[in-house]
């Protein structure tokens, strides 16, 4: 795995148990910040291997859109 300049350590996917991989993936599906934290620590190539290209792309797309709260308007609750 290539070294990422900001990483503190390398995450080797093969060193994780099946349960650990599933835990990472479930947490990432629930909270895209898990994907960004993983990228910050281990690099984007690692995130794409662990989570999938689709999930990383989706998280990045949503971050560019910003967080929309459709239940709130400037006049109060919708």
């Amino acid at each position: 795995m290539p070294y990422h300049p900001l990483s503190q350590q390398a995450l080797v996917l093969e060193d994780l148990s099946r349960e650990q991989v599933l835990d990472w993936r479930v947490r990432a599906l629930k909270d895209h910040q898990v994907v960004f934290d993983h990228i910050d620590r281990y690099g984007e190539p690692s995130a794409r291997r662990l989570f999938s290209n689709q999930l990383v792309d989706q998280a990045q797309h949503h971050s560019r859109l910003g967080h929309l709260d459709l239940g709130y308007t400037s006049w109060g609750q919708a």
Side-chain angles (χ1 to χ4, degrees), residues 12-74:
V12 179
L13 189 58
E14 292 76 17
D15 289 345
L16 298 175
S17 71
R18 182 175 188 278
E19 291 76 22
Q20 288 172 312
V21 170
L22 290 173
D23 179 61
W24 274 98
R25 290 177 179 171
V26 167
R27 288 187 296 126
L29 286 169
K30 292 179 181 178
D31 181 4
H32 286 156
Q33 188 60 46
V34 172
V35 175
F36 297 121
D37 292 346
H38 184 92
I39 290 171
D40 287 345
R41 183 159 186 177
Y42 302 107
E44 188 172 325
S46 177
R48 291 186 177 278
R49 285 189 70 218
L50 177 59
F51 302 119
S52 78
N53 286 328
Q54 181 181 3
L55 183 59
V56 172
D57 290 344
Q58 182 181 27
Q60 291 174 336
H61 175 74
H62 286 159
S63 75
R64 286 190 296 273
L65 292 177
H67 296 285
L68 299 176
D69 184 354
L70 299 177
Y72 178 80
T73 69
S74 58

